[in-house]
Amino acid sequence: MDAIQIEGGPRLEGEIRVSGSKNASLPILAASLLTSGSSTFHNVPALNDIRTMCRLLELLGAEAELPAPAPKGSRRKADPHIVKLTTKAIKDTTAPYELVKTMRASVLVLGPLVARHGQARVSLPGGCAIGARPIDQHLKGLEAMGAKIVLEHGYVTAKAKRLRGARLVCDIPTVTGTENLMMAAALAKGHSTIENAAREPEVEELARVLNKMGARVRGAGTSVIDVDGVDELHPIEHAIIPDRIEAGTFMVAAALTRGNVLVRDCLPEHLDAVIAKLRSAGATVTAESGGIRVKGPTTILPVDITTQPFPGFPTDMQAQFMVLATRAKGQSVITENIFENRYMHVQELARMGADIMIEGRTAIIRGVPRLTGAPVMATDLRASASLILAGLVAEGRTEVLRVYHLDRGYERIEKKLRPLGARIKRVKGRM
Ligand code: EPZ
């Protein structure tokens, strides 16, 4: 397995480009099941999760070209960030356990399959490192639209001749739950409302794509979404929005290392809560044409953070800010409200000298004068990002093991950080 080796210390300076959003791409690729014909998506991040989703869509009967072939006659090489999906007939409606267990976002094929094909058999995703992550809200909504749901042998089977519009009230805002129900409602007969909907930018982006396909979705980005079902959708071409969590991760890297970095191709309006907390930590954050510039402070100030659904502080940035807090002058308090086990990075940071105490969902972080490099273990996607960040400021060498977790959500992070001055490289054959 690969590991990433970092020699800590250098200030990061220069420009870094953000890839397309993983969490926008996954539902959008799944939405291709709602229509027949060929859709082309640009600015798709070249990540393992994207390849997994394409593999799943092919199992269901789609043809995935990743990367899409270069235009006829052009001398350019195929761009790995362009995906072409052709869905003629659905040949299978089962999302198998061996695939779903590697990527729980596979559950995003559930809504489209029932809506377009009248049935779906999807392995229950099971838990993951950060929590139980049930899908009861997805199923409750599909049932309200007339689907017959059966749970057996570790699979959920959903069947409906044709879904009918309904009033769907989520007990809690769920991102993929809202996305699944929006896709299902797009082809249902009649009008649906999704109340207590998730407001994440990735939900809004999916609604933009569905409307481009001919759907009639209104209110995405607010907590009440209206959908007038239509009989048919058509294929499209679309460029995916930038990844706000990758952008936030790079912004923290600049703040941590007293750097001066322009994070390109990101949208400030997707990062309000993150920018506010970076400023509280003493960083200078300014919008510039084409991105956001972050200058790290000489002294990092402590920050208190409570993760919330969007537009609150994102749980996907919690681990990264914890690293910032380990280097702050004073005590910070972080409360993780979204997932019940999203502190797997804490023990690894402690091995680098961090002073962190966990009490239930709350972490109390006392800033320390220095972190020291060490071999550390990645456990989940954002935890592994936090270990890379810690390695950038730790004294000596840090080796982050099992970086396949990292590769799920960050496109070759070492290649992106090296031009900024980071002493970082990927090494093969580590356990
Ligand atoms: C999405 O996961 C993201 N993944 C996650 O990003 C992100 O952390 C999460 O939203 C929260 O923002 C994708 O978009 C592919 P939820 P999702 O349903 O949809 C509970 C990353 O690092 N819940 O919004 O699975 C659930 O247990 C990943 O890129 C139910 O109880 O998250 C959690 O406590 C990690 N029942 C809370 O809601 C349900 O039916 C929010 O989960 C659904 C969710």
Side-chain angles (χ1 to χ4, degrees):
M1 280 184 267
D2 290 2
I4 285 187
Q5 229 168 53
I6 309 159
E7 301 294 340
R11 300 173 47 154
L12 300 187
E13 298 192 317
E15 293 191 8
I16 189 165
R17 192 186 168 282
V18 175
S19 298
S21 164
K22 165 180 85 80
N23 289 352
S25 299
L26 292 169
I28 287 170
L29 296 181
S32 62
L33 292 170
L34 291 166
T35 179
S36 57
S38 291
S39 292
T40 301
F41 299 104
H42 299 260
N43 201 35
V44 178
L47 298 171
N48 293 347
D49 273 11
I50 300 298
R51 289 184 275 274
T52 303
M53 179 58 84
C54 288
R55 234 184 2 266
L56 172 57
L57 294 174
E58 287 191 316
L59 279 181
L60 300 174
E63 184 199 344
E65 293 172 87
L66 171 66
K72 279 205 180 9
S74 95
R75 281 201 293 273
R76 279 182 303 120
K77 279 197 315 161
D79 179 343
H81 302 104
I82 302 178
V83 180
K84 186 175 173 188
L85 285 172
T86 304
T87 315
K88 293 193 182 71
I90 303 282
K91 68 173 194 252
D92 193 335
T93 58
T94 296
Y97 176 65
E98 56 276 5
L99 246 178
V100 175
K101 72 178 169 38
T102 67
M103 185 186 67
R104 54 169 289 105
S106 309
V107 73
L108 285 162
V109 301
L110 182 61
L113 280 176
V114 182
R116 167 97 188 288
H117 195 73
Q119 72 170 36
R121 181 170 172 272
V122 176
S123 165
L124 286 166
C128 75
I130 63 178
R133 306 190 69 186
I135 59 168
D136 56 300
Q137 300 299 308
H138 303 232
L139 305 180
K140 189 180 98 170
L142 289 173
E143 217 158 27
M145 287 197 266
K148 187 167 170 4
I149 305 281
V150 174
L151 297 178
E152 57 185 5
H153 308 301
Y155 279 77
V156 57
T157 304
K159 282 188 181 149
K161 263 207 179 6
R162 174 151 191 205
L163 293 172
R164 58 175 189 276
R167 180 174 174 240
L168 312 170
V169 184
C170 295
D171 300 347
I172 48 166
T174 154
V175 175
T176 48
T178 302
E179 291 164 346
N180 244 333
L181 296 177
M182 207 160 56
M183 291 189 278
L187 282 182
K189 187 166 179 51
H191 175 257
S192 301
T193 54
I194 304 171
E195 297 177 26
N196 201 16
R199 301 173 52 190
E200 271 70 3
E202 294 77 28
V203 172
E204 265 190 285
E205 174 75 345
L206 175 62
R208 263 191 293 278
V209 163
L210 290 173
N211 286 338
K212 240 178 161 176
M213 294 169 74
R216 295 169 56 197
V217 181
R218 296 179 308 285
T222 74
S223 49
V224 179
I225 299 175
D226 277 293
V227 185
D228 289 321
V230 295
D231 295 333
E232 199 173 359
L233 296 174
H234 56 76
I236 56 162
E237 184 151 4
H238 184 78
I240 307 277
I241 54 170
D243 193 306
R244 63 190 168 101
I245 304 302
E246 187 191 20
T249 305
F250 294 147
M251 292 161 71
V252 170
L256 260 178
T257 60
R258 301 187 317 286
N260 181 345
V261 176
L262 176 63
V263 181
R264 297 194 64 81
D265 301 337
C266 58
L267 301 171
E269 62 271 25
H270 290 174
L271 287 152
D272 287 340
V274 171
I275 291 170
K277 286 300 175 186
L278 278 172
R279 287 177 173 149
S280 312
T284 307
V285 185
T286 45
E288 280 189 16
S289 62
I292 299 173
R293 182 173 294 282
V294 177
K295 291 180 185 166
T298 315
T299 304
I300 297 169
L301 304 175
V303 285
D304 293 341
I305 283 171
T306 302
T307 63
Q308 297 290 350
F310 194 89
F313 188 90
T315 174
D316 291 350
M317 285 299 302
Q318 177 258 108
Q320 298 90 317
F321 266 74
M322 188 174 284
V323 181
L324 202 56
T326 68
R327 300 285 293 115
K329 196 166 182 51
Q331 174 175 296
S332 302
V333 179
I334 293 182
T335 305
E336 171 54 62
N337 285 319
I338 307 295
F339 292 113
E340 63 271 28
N341 187 33
R342 202 167 200 177
Y343 287 138
M344 308 279 276
H345 42 289
V346 168
Q347 290 319 317
E348 298 305 302
L349 293 174
R351 296 185 56 247
M352 299 175 73
D355 178 352
I356 306 169
M357 189 169 61
I358 303 291
E359 284 176 10
R361 286 193 173 238
T362 299
I364 296 159
I365 306 104
R366 292 190 186 87
V368 291
R370 66 198 186 110
L371 295 176
T372 54
V376 288
M377 189 76 76
T379 51
D380 59 270
L381 170 52
R382 306 304 172 185
S384 37
S386 74
L387 298 177
I388 297 286
L389 294 175
L392 292 173
V393 284
E395 284 175 15
R397 171 174 295 180
T398 296
E399 188 159 275
V400 182
L401 303 167
R402 298 188 183 172
V403 288
Y404 60 86
H405 289 290
L406 189 74
D407 294 337
R408 297 188 51 176
Y410 292 89
E411 201 177 322
R412 284 289 183 220
I413 198 167
E414 75 279 7
K415 287 204 171 129
K416 289 196 175 185
L417 289 174
R418 205 175 297 132
L420 299 182
R423 293 194 295 245
I424 182 170
K425 65 180 182 181
R426 185 176 287 259
V427 290
K428 302 270 180 203
R430 289 288 199 281
M431 284 316 287

